Amino acid sequence: MAILVTGGAGYIGSHTVVALLERGHDVVVVDDLSNSSEASLERVEQLTGKGVAFIKADLTDKPALDAVFEEHTIESVIHFAGLKAVGESVEQPLRYYQNNLISSMNLLESMSSHDCWDLVFSSSATVYGDPEILPIPETASTGATNPYGRTKLMIEEICRDVAESDPRWRISLLRYFNPVGAHPSGMLGEDPNGPPNNLVPYVMQVAVGRRDQVSVFGDDYDTPDGTGVRDYIHVIDLALGHLAALDHLPKGCDSYNLGTGNGASVLEIIQTAASVSGADVPYEITDRRPGDIATSLADPTKANTELEWRADRGLEVMLRDAWNWQSKNPHGFNPPE
Ligand code: NAD
Ligand code: UFG
């Protein structure tokens, strides 16, 4: 019996595969490598001393997905695979709907036809849009502001409907806040294609000298220092959240916030990154980024109690581990020749 991890070569997936292997699970990864490389799985194998069954396939290819379930006995699935860049989703909405929705529907269909009913799905705090309540509980109203976020909301709804249709389903929708950091070994981490969209990888590339300065998107928000506040969560805590979710799958379908409940501003991230790395992190204040909100903060009480899970790595550890990864792998998994 194995756990199928879709998108397992990616950033959060690869860290979760390490945690699963360390827990003694057999793991099958399906990934089309559209935003990752097989090098991450080689590192996973080096780190754990264990093998991973890897199948390069696109989840929108239903026969290829069915073949995975026929070749392997899959007991449960963690579904990370998906496109995730907000700006790109605004420019290419159909690509996002095609990829994220078709993949998820194919997966649900293949699972049920192969008698597999346990699923953990990567949702996002983006489903809360501009939140009315802080910190945000799972009961808060939802409403995404871009096509990427809408794919997450739609997949959540599809999962709820599917779970309603057959009592065998057990589906956990994990709403991640802002995943950052890296494996403490420095062997695994986030390796974005092109200029990073997200703050921490951008700050790290400035610290390592690949980019000149960080643009701080606005200092006139209604926050303590005027810059955006987010609930950053260490990717290792997030990976462990998936193991906890597998151990505590609900009957039917339910959602859980995975965050720390603590906020950090853009300027705090820059200052902490400079202090843990010892590097200069120059920045300039620029206009707000369209679509950004002032503050996003999880109320993680439900996951703390029902999943018996807590994110306990603090900001310094997150940024120290991100720096360890970046400084050991300044060009990511595949450095230029
Ligand atoms: P990632 O891009 O590193 O990993 C996603 C993986 O899915 C990649 O390896 C990519 O090649 C693969 N993939 C994409 N489409 C596929 C398809 N059709 N078939 C097979 N493989 C496919 O991203 P990540 O940061 O590890 O995110 C994992 C999941 O978590 C995504 O669903 C993302 O939307 C969600 N999420 C991420 C964040 C974040 O800030 N990183 C926040 C909230 C939610
Ligand atoms: N920011 C900058 N400069 C940058 C990048 C970001 O100032 O170069 C600021 C943003 O304005 C925001 C904060 O840093 O205040 C964090 O921005 P990120 O892009 O790192 O993260 P977001 O909160 O905007 O979004 C991320 C993912 C979404 C996901 C969301 C919640 O990109 O897909 O977290 O999980 F939905």
Side-chain angles (χ1 to χ4, degrees), residues 11 20 40 56 80 101 115-116 136 138 178 186 193 195 213 223 235 239 253 264 267 281 319 327:
Y11 170 47
L20 288 168
S40 65
K56 181 171 184 258
F80 292 105
L101 297 184
D115 204 23
C116 176
I136 312 169
E138 288 81 357
N178 287 59
N193 281 330
Q213 62 179 9
T223 60
V235 67
C253 181
L267 292 180
V281 184
L319 294 172
S327 52

PDB file of all heavy atoms in Angstrom, residues 11 20 40 56 80 101 115-116 136 138 178 186 193 195 213 223 235 239 253 264 267 281 319 327:
ATOM      1  N   TYR A  11       7.709  22.206  -4.531  1.00  0.00           N
ATOM      2  CA  TYR A  11       8.252  22.760  -3.278  1.00  0.00           C
ATOM      3  C   TYR A  11       7.628  22.092  -2.033  1.00  0.00           C
ATOM      4  O   TYR A  11       8.338  21.448  -1.240  1.00  0.00           O
ATOM      5  CB  TYR A  11       8.003  24.271  -3.279  1.00  0.00           C
ATOM      6  CG  TYR A  11       8.275  24.995  -1.989  1.00  0.00           C
ATOM      7  CD1 TYR A  11       9.448  24.771  -1.263  1.00  0.00           C
ATOM      8  CD2 TYR A  11       7.356  25.918  -1.497  1.00  0.00           C
ATOM      9  CE1 TYR A  11       9.688  25.470  -0.088  1.00  0.00           C
ATOM     10  CE2 TYR A  11       7.597  26.625  -0.329  1.00  0.00           C
ATOM     11  CZ  TYR A  11       8.765  26.387   0.380  1.00  0.00           C
ATOM     12  OH  TYR A  11       9.003  27.068   1.539  1.00  0.00           O
ATOM     13  N   LEU A  20       6.807  11.763   4.802  1.00  0.00           N
ATOM     14  CA  LEU A  20       6.097  10.483   4.647  1.00  0.00           C
ATOM     15  C   LEU A  20       7.077   9.311   4.683  1.00  0.00           C
ATOM     16  O   LEU A  20       6.834   8.294   5.342  1.00  0.00           O
ATOM     17  CB  LEU A  20       5.342  10.460   3.314  1.00  0.00           C
ATOM     18  CG  LEU A  20       4.103  11.358   3.218  1.00  0.00           C
ATOM     19  CD1 LEU A  20       3.641  11.466   1.764  1.00  0.00           C
ATOM     20  CD2 LEU A  20       2.964  10.830   4.093  1.00  0.00           C
ATOM     21  N   SER A  40      14.769  17.267  -7.466  1.00  0.00           N
ATOM     22  CA  SER A  40      14.264  17.380  -6.092  1.00  0.00           C
ATOM     23  C   SER A  40      14.025  15.987  -5.509  1.00  0.00           C
ATOM     24  O   SER A  40      14.304  15.744  -4.332  1.00  0.00           O
ATOM     25  CB  SER A  40      12.981  18.223  -6.043  1.00  0.00           C
ATOM     26  OG  SER A  40      11.942  17.572  -6.730  1.00  0.00           O
ATOM     27  N   LYS A  56       6.350  10.290 -14.430  1.00  0.00           N
ATOM     28  CA  LYS A  56       6.170  11.617 -15.059  1.00  0.00           C
ATOM     29  C   LYS A  56       4.894  11.559 -15.890  1.00  0.00           C
ATOM     30  O   LYS A  56       4.833  10.855 -16.906  1.00  0.00           O
ATOM     31  CB  LYS A  56       7.381  11.951 -15.936  1.00  0.00           C
ATOM     32  CG  LYS A  56       7.258  13.316 -16.589  1.00  0.00           C
ATOM     33  CD  LYS A  56       8.546  13.736 -17.270  1.00  0.00           C
ATOM     34  CE  LYS A  56       8.410  15.137 -17.807  1.00  0.00           C
ATOM     35  NZ  LYS A  56       8.189  15.293 -19.181  1.00  0.00           N
ATOM     36  N   PHE A  80      -1.143  17.826  -4.484  1.00  0.00           N
ATOM     37  CA  PHE A  80      -0.484  19.136  -4.572  1.00  0.00           C
ATOM     38  C   PHE A  80      -0.500  19.689  -5.992  1.00  0.00           C
ATOM     39  O   PHE A  80      -0.315  20.890  -6.182  1.00  0.00           O
ATOM     40  CB  PHE A  80       0.998  19.019  -4.189  1.00  0.00           C
ATOM     41  CG  PHE A  80       1.282  18.703  -2.757  1.00  0.00           C
ATOM     42  CD1 PHE A  80       1.693  17.433  -2.368  1.00  0.00           C
ATOM     43  CD2 PHE A  80       1.152  19.677  -1.781  1.00  0.00           C
ATOM     44  CE1 PHE A  80       1.976  17.151  -1.040  1.00  0.00           C
ATOM     45  CE2 PHE A  80       1.427  19.411  -0.452  1.00  0.00           C
ATOM     46  CZ  PHE A  80       1.845  18.139  -0.084  1.00  0.00           C
ATOM     47  N   LEU A 101      -8.647  22.275 -12.625  1.00  0.00           N
ATOM     48  CA  LEU A 101      -9.950  21.614 -12.453  1.00  0.00           C
ATOM     49  C   LEU A 101      -9.951  20.217 -13.072  1.00  0.00           C
ATOM     50  O   LEU A 101     -10.386  19.262 -12.435  1.00  0.00           O
ATOM     51  CB  LEU A 101     -11.073  22.461 -13.065  1.00  0.00           C
ATOM     52  CG  LEU A 101     -11.298  23.843 -12.448  1.00  0.00           C
ATOM     53  CD1 LEU A 101     -12.498  24.523 -13.086  1.00  0.00           C
ATOM     54  CD2 LEU A 101     -11.505  23.763 -10.941  1.00  0.00           C
ATOM     55  N   ASP A 115     -11.340   2.286  -5.839  1.00  0.00           N
ATOM     56  CA  ASP A 115     -11.689   2.037  -4.439  1.00  0.00           C
ATOM     57  C   ASP A 115     -10.741   2.740  -3.457  1.00  0.00           C
ATOM     58  O   ASP A 115     -10.345   2.183  -2.443  1.00  0.00           O
ATOM     59  CB  ASP A 115     -11.692   0.518  -4.181  1.00  0.00           C
ATOM     60  CG  ASP A 115     -12.583   0.167  -3.010  1.00  0.00           C
ATOM     61  OD1 ASP A 115     -13.489   0.946  -2.677  1.00  0.00           O
ATOM     62  OD2 ASP A 115     -12.329  -0.894  -2.394  1.00  0.00           O
ATOM     63  N   CYS A 116     -10.378   3.972  -3.786  1.00  0.00           N
ATOM     64  CA  CYS A 116      -9.506   4.779  -2.917  1.00  0.00           C
ATOM     65  C   CYS A 116     -10.308   6.033  -2.554  1.00  0.00           C
ATOM     66  O   CYS A 116     -10.765   6.760  -3.446  1.00  0.00           O
ATOM     67  CB  CYS A 116      -8.228   5.116  -3.693  1.00  0.00           C
ATOM     68  SG  CYS A 116      -7.105   6.186  -2.812  1.00  0.00           S
ATOM     69  N   ILE A 136      -8.432  34.606  10.798  1.00  0.00           N
ATOM     70  CA  ILE A 136      -9.516  34.068   9.966  1.00  0.00           C
ATOM     71  C   ILE A 136      -9.860  32.634  10.405  1.00  0.00           C
ATOM     72  O   ILE A 136      -9.007  31.751  10.339  1.00  0.00           O
ATOM     73  CB  ILE A 136      -9.079  34.032   8.479  1.00  0.00           C
ATOM     74  CG1 ILE A 136      -8.458  35.385   8.049  1.00  0.00           C
ATOM     75  CG2 ILE A 136     -10.255  33.664   7.587  1.00  0.00           C
ATOM     76  CD1 ILE A 136      -7.775  35.342   6.679  1.00  0.00           C
ATOM     77  N   GLU A 138     -12.129  29.030   9.807  1.00  0.00           N
ATOM     78  CA  GLU A 138     -12.584  28.311   8.603  1.00  0.00           C
ATOM     79  C   GLU A 138     -14.009  28.693   8.227  1.00  0.00           C
ATOM     80  O   GLU A 138     -14.428  28.526   7.081  1.00  0.00           O
ATOM     81  CB  GLU A 138     -12.526  26.787   8.821  1.00  0.00           C
ATOM     82  CG  GLU A 138     -11.123  26.198   8.850  1.00  0.00           C
ATOM     83  CD  GLU A 138     -10.423  26.367  10.184  1.00  0.00           C
ATOM     84  OE1 GLU A 138     -10.979  27.006  11.112  1.00  0.00           O
ATOM     85  OE2 GLU A 138      -9.289  25.862  10.299  1.00  0.00           O
ATOM     86  N   ASN A 178       1.093  31.286   4.358  1.00  0.00           N
ATOM     87  CA  ASN A 178       2.224  31.573   3.453  1.00  0.00           C
ATOM     88  C   ASN A 178       3.412  30.646   3.728  1.00  0.00           C
ATOM     89  O   ASN A 178       4.216  30.923   4.618  1.00  0.00           O
ATOM     90  CB  ASN A 178       2.627  33.039   3.587  1.00  0.00           C
ATOM     91  CG  ASN A 178       1.620  33.967   2.932  1.00  0.00           C
ATOM     92  OD1 ASN A 178       0.445  33.969   3.301  1.00  0.00           O
ATOM     93  ND2 ASN A 178       2.050  34.741   1.965  1.00  0.00           N
ATOM     94  N   GLY A 186      19.485  21.987   3.952  1.00  0.00           N
ATOM     95  CA  GLY A 186      19.886  22.817   2.810  1.00  0.00           C
ATOM     96  C   GLY A 186      19.840  22.068   1.490  1.00  0.00           C
ATOM     97  O   GLY A 186      20.252  22.584   0.456  1.00  0.00           O
ATOM     98  N   ASN A 193      10.853  29.360 -11.054  1.00  0.00           N
ATOM     99  CA  ASN A 193      11.317  29.665 -12.419  1.00  0.00           C
ATOM    100  C   ASN A 193      11.253  31.167 -12.626  1.00  0.00           C
ATOM    101  O   ASN A 193      10.216  31.765 -12.384  1.00  0.00           O
ATOM    102  CB  ASN A 193      10.355  29.043 -13.443  1.00  0.00           C
ATOM    103  CG  ASN A 193      10.604  27.573 -13.623  1.00  0.00           C
ATOM    104  OD1 ASN A 193      11.726  27.099 -13.466  1.00  0.00           O
ATOM    105  ND2 ASN A 193       9.553  26.831 -13.932  1.00  0.00           N
ATOM    106  N   PRO A 195      11.977  35.340 -12.194  1.00  0.00           N
ATOM    107  CA  PRO A 195      11.936  36.179 -10.992  1.00  0.00           C
ATOM    108  C   PRO A 195      10.824  35.708 -10.061  1.00  0.00           C
ATOM    109  O   PRO A 195       9.701  35.498 -10.497  1.00  0.00           O
ATOM    110  CB  PRO A 195      11.622  37.580 -11.535  1.00  0.00           C
ATOM    111  CG  PRO A 195      11.879  37.520 -13.000  1.00  0.00           C
ATOM    112  CD  PRO A 195      11.725  36.084 -13.434  1.00  0.00           C
ATOM    113  N   GLN A 213      17.681  44.549  -5.484  1.00  0.00           N
ATOM    114  CA  GLN A 213      16.946  45.023  -4.312  1.00  0.00           C
ATOM    115  C   GLN A 213      15.518  44.490  -4.316  1.00  0.00           C
ATOM    116  O   GLN A 213      15.000  44.089  -5.350  1.00  0.00           O
ATOM    117  CB  GLN A 213      16.929  46.542  -4.263  1.00  0.00           C
ATOM    118  CG  GLN A 213      16.243  47.187  -5.435  1.00  0.00           C
ATOM    119  CD  GLN A 213      16.235  48.705  -5.322  1.00  0.00           C
ATOM    120  OE1 GLN A 213      16.878  49.286  -4.469  1.00  0.00           O
ATOM    121  NE2 GLN A 213      15.473  49.358  -6.169  1.00  0.00           N
ATOM    122  N   THR A 223      -1.530  48.689   8.800  1.00  0.00           N
ATOM    123  CA  THR A 223      -0.796  47.675   9.582  1.00  0.00           C
ATOM    124  C   THR A 223       0.210  48.436  10.444  1.00  0.00           C
ATOM    125  O   THR A 223       0.460  49.626  10.199  1.00  0.00           O
ATOM    126  CB  THR A 223      -0.022  46.709   8.648  1.00  0.00           C
ATOM    127  OG1 THR A 223       0.904  47.491   7.872  1.00  0.00           O
ATOM    128  CG2 THR A 223      -0.945  45.936   7.712  1.00  0.00           C
ATOM    129  N   VAL A 235       7.791  25.364   5.901  1.00  0.00           N
ATOM    130  CA  VAL A 235       7.335  24.279   5.017  1.00  0.00           C
ATOM    131  C   VAL A 235       7.421  22.916   5.725  1.00  0.00           C
ATOM    132  O   VAL A 235       6.651  21.998   5.402  1.00  0.00           O
ATOM    133  CB  VAL A 235       8.119  24.316   3.672  1.00  0.00           C
ATOM    134  CG1 VAL A 235       9.595  23.984   3.872  1.00  0.00           C
ATOM    135  CG2 VAL A 235       7.481  23.425   2.619  1.00  0.00           C
ATOM    136  N   ALA A 239       4.411  20.409   5.996  1.00  0.00           N
ATOM    137  CA  ALA A 239       4.515  18.997   5.601  1.00  0.00           C
ATOM    138  C   ALA A 239       3.951  18.106   6.721  1.00  0.00           C
ATOM    139  O   ALA A 239       3.172  17.179   6.462  1.00  0.00           O
ATOM    140  CB  ALA A 239       5.975  18.640   5.312  1.00  0.00           C
ATOM    141  N   CYS A 253     -16.194  15.629   4.064  1.00  0.00           N
ATOM    142  CA  CYS A 253     -15.208  16.632   3.620  1.00  0.00           C
ATOM    143  C   CYS A 253     -15.185  17.781   4.612  1.00  0.00           C
ATOM    144  O   CYS A 253     -16.243  18.249   5.040  1.00  0.00           O
ATOM    145  CB  CYS A 253     -15.655  17.128   2.242  1.00  0.00           C
ATOM    146  SG  CYS A 253     -14.559  18.351   1.515  1.00  0.00           S
ATOM    147  N   ALA A 264       3.733  38.604  10.279  1.00  0.00           N
ATOM    148  CA  ALA A 264       4.987  39.356  10.108  1.00  0.00           C
ATOM    149  C   ALA A 264       4.806  40.290   8.917  1.00  0.00           C
ATOM    150  O   ALA A 264       4.168  39.934   7.923  1.00  0.00           O
ATOM    151  CB  ALA A 264       6.156  38.408   9.849  1.00  0.00           C
ATOM    152  N   LEU A 267       8.607  44.452   6.078  1.00  0.00           N
ATOM    153  CA  LEU A 267       9.868  45.002   6.612  1.00  0.00           C
ATOM    154  C   LEU A 267      10.481  44.076   7.665  1.00  0.00           C
ATOM    155  O   LEU A 267      11.708  43.931   7.732  1.00  0.00           O
ATOM    156  CB  LEU A 267       9.640  46.408   7.185  1.00  0.00           C
ATOM    157  CG  LEU A 267       9.296  47.471   6.133  1.00  0.00           C
ATOM    158  CD1 LEU A 267       9.093  48.837   6.791  1.00  0.00           C
ATOM    159  CD2 LEU A 267      10.379  47.571   5.049  1.00  0.00           C
ATOM    160  N   VAL A 281      20.300  43.444   2.510  1.00  0.00           N
ATOM    161  CA  VAL A 281      19.079  43.250   1.722  1.00  0.00           C
ATOM    162  C   VAL A 281      18.492  44.634   1.437  1.00  0.00           C
ATOM    163  O   VAL A 281      17.569  45.091   2.105  1.00  0.00           O
ATOM    164  CB  VAL A 281      18.063  42.344   2.468  1.00  0.00           C
ATOM    165  CG1 VAL A 281      16.843  42.091   1.579  1.00  0.00           C
ATOM    166  CG2 VAL A 281      18.690  41.028   2.890  1.00  0.00           C
ATOM    167  N   LEU A 319      13.526  31.707   8.170  1.00  0.00           N
ATOM    168  CA  LEU A 319      14.419  32.465   7.289  1.00  0.00           C
ATOM    169  C   LEU A 319      15.845  31.918   7.331  1.00  0.00           C
ATOM    170  O   LEU A 319      16.544  31.925   6.312  1.00  0.00           O
ATOM    171  CB  LEU A 319      14.352  33.945   7.644  1.00  0.00           C
ATOM    172  CG  LEU A 319      12.961  34.536   7.334  1.00  0.00           C
ATOM    173  CD1 LEU A 319      12.817  35.948   7.869  1.00  0.00           C
ATOM    174  CD2 LEU A 319      12.665  34.528   5.830  1.00  0.00           C
ATOM    175  N   SER A 327      21.851  29.811   0.063  1.00  0.00           N
ATOM    176  CA  SER A 327      23.298  30.033  -0.010  1.00  0.00           C
ATOM    177  C   SER A 327      24.033  28.776  -0.483  1.00  0.00           C
ATOM    178  O   SER A 327      25.060  28.870  -1.147  1.00  0.00           O
ATOM    179  CB  SER A 327      23.841  30.529   1.336  1.00  0.00           C
ATOM    180  OG  SER A 327      23.436  29.676   2.359  1.00  0.00           O
TER     181      SER A 327
END
